Amino acid sequence: MTTAATPRAARRTASQNASPTSTPGRPRAALDWRVRFGVLSLIWGFSFLLIKVGTESYAPFQVTFGRLLFGTAVLIAAMAVKRERLPRGARTWGHLAVAALLLNALPFSLFAYAELTIPSTLAGICNATSPLWGMALSLVALSEDRPTRVRVAGLGVGFLGVLTVLGVWQGFHGLDATGTAMALLASLSYPVGWIYVRRTLAGTGASHLSMTGAQLLLATVQLAVVTPLFTTLPSHFPVVPLLAIIALGALGTGFAIFLQYGIVAEVGPTTGQMVTYFIPVIATAAGVAILGESLSWSTPVGAAIVLAGAALTQVRPRS
């Protein structure tokens, strides 16, 4: 759903939801990459609306489990068509289990819980802070990622935007602190996961699709264990929320990751990761137009500041 990665890792992949490796030399697709880019932006932008609809009738863990289950099914089907195998080696699977927790199970669950009390528009904007967290963490965890004045300025600008969205001058009036904190923690989980991936899974030799399929499979198993412990089986299954969960998984997770893989392979991760900047715009428009969520002036203004700051943190010094 997001392209949350550390600044250096983000150049290798476009998503909070992708795998640690990519396969160069993929044949050019028949459909122009710009069209696929637009479709990907729409899918991930609408994901926050789908989460909100799903949690209206199902527990957050159930929404997350369904999302991962249907997303994994799509990727496993794609692997079968391409005749690709899951990666091998206990060590690789152990690292993938941690990656699955940090990049899928944990953030997906946190966003689902957050949207019980905050609007989908705010969740989408919180998701856009991932590059800011990634920049901050890379200064500590990645010694080769040297800060520059522009990138540090971007970090400051971005968090100023967060404070604008939250309405700090009003004392955060009207905001649910717990829900907002969960959404921000979810966005923080992505760069933490990518730092871990970069240190443990780089250069495994397995394909992007294989690694992603295994990662989502492990995340699904994790939620399959957790969900029964904290939820009870629904007595009835409302159709619209159920369809929202299916769409969230099949389209917003499985198909979107597969689509993103093709875009990154064709035009590179630097262009591919720009989808990050369209997600909050679409999420806000969808939340207001379809769900009737309220929108004060500080939300779009703060979101624009967040995106400007995030863009600055991705500026690389010229060699």
Side-chain angles (χ1 to χ4, degrees), residues 53-312:
V53 174
T55 54
E56 289 178 354
S57 299
Y58 299 96
F61 276 137
Q62 293 170 344
V63 172
T64 305
F65 173 66
R67 173 183 188 175
L68 289 168
L69 180 65
F70 290 106
T72 301
V74 170
L75 289 186
I76 294 300
M79 289 178 60
V81 171
K82 291 181 171 293
R83 298 182 179 180
E84 292 199 21
R85 298 180 178 179
L86 291 169
R88 299 180 179 180
R91 183 183 181 87
T92 297
W93 279 88
H95 289 314
L96 281 172
V98 178
L101 174 66
L102 294 173
L103 292 172
N104 302 114
L106 179 61
F108 290 0
S109 298
L110 285 172
F111 273 123
Y113 269 101
E115 291 200 42
L116 291 175
T117 55
I118 67 173
S120 64
T121 54
L122 179 57
I125 293 171
C126 287
N127 180 74
T129 65
S130 285
L132 304 178
W133 295 119
M135 167 65 187
L137 289 172
S138 70
L139 299 180
V140 177
L142 300 175
S143 58
E144 69 272 28
D145 252 339
R146 300 298 181 184
T148 64
R149 291 182 180 179
V150 172
R151 297 177 68 196
V152 172
L155 188 62
V157 169
F159 283 111
L160 176 62
V162 173
L163 295 177
T164 302
V165 170
L166 300 181
V168 63
W169 62 90
Q170 304 178 83
F172 307 107
H173 177 70
L175 282 178
D176 181 80
T178 302
T180 304
M182 284 185 174
L184 290 172
L185 184 60
S187 70
L188 170 62
S189 182
Y190 290 121
V192 172
W194 276 111
I195 289 176
Y196 179 84
V197 162
R198 180 175 175 182
R199 291 183 177 276
T200 61
L201 286 169
T204 60
S207 74
H208 173 108
L209 183 58
S210 173
M211 295 292 281
T212 304
Q215 181 179 304
L216 283 187
L217 178 62
L218 288 169
T220 304
V221 172
Q222 291 168 358
L223 262 294
V225 173
V226 170
T227 301
L229 298 178
F230 295 94
T231 66
T232 57
L233 189 67
S235 57
H236 62 288
F237 297 85
V239 175
V240 173
L242 181 59
L243 291 176
I245 295 172
I246 294 173
L248 180 63
L251 294 177
T253 304
F255 178 70
I257 291 175
F258 186 71
L259 188 65
Q260 180 204 35
Y261 165 49
I263 294 172
V264 171
E266 183 173 333
V267 299
T270 301
T271 300
Q273 74 168 336
M274 290 180 64
V275 70
T276 303
Y277 307 117
F278 292 88
I279 293 173
V281 177
I282 296 171
T284 299
V288 172
I290 299 176
L291 298 180
E293 295 177 345
S294 60
L295 186 68
S296 63
W297 68 267
S298 61
T299 300
V301 171
I305 298 174
V306 167
L307 295 178
L312 288 175

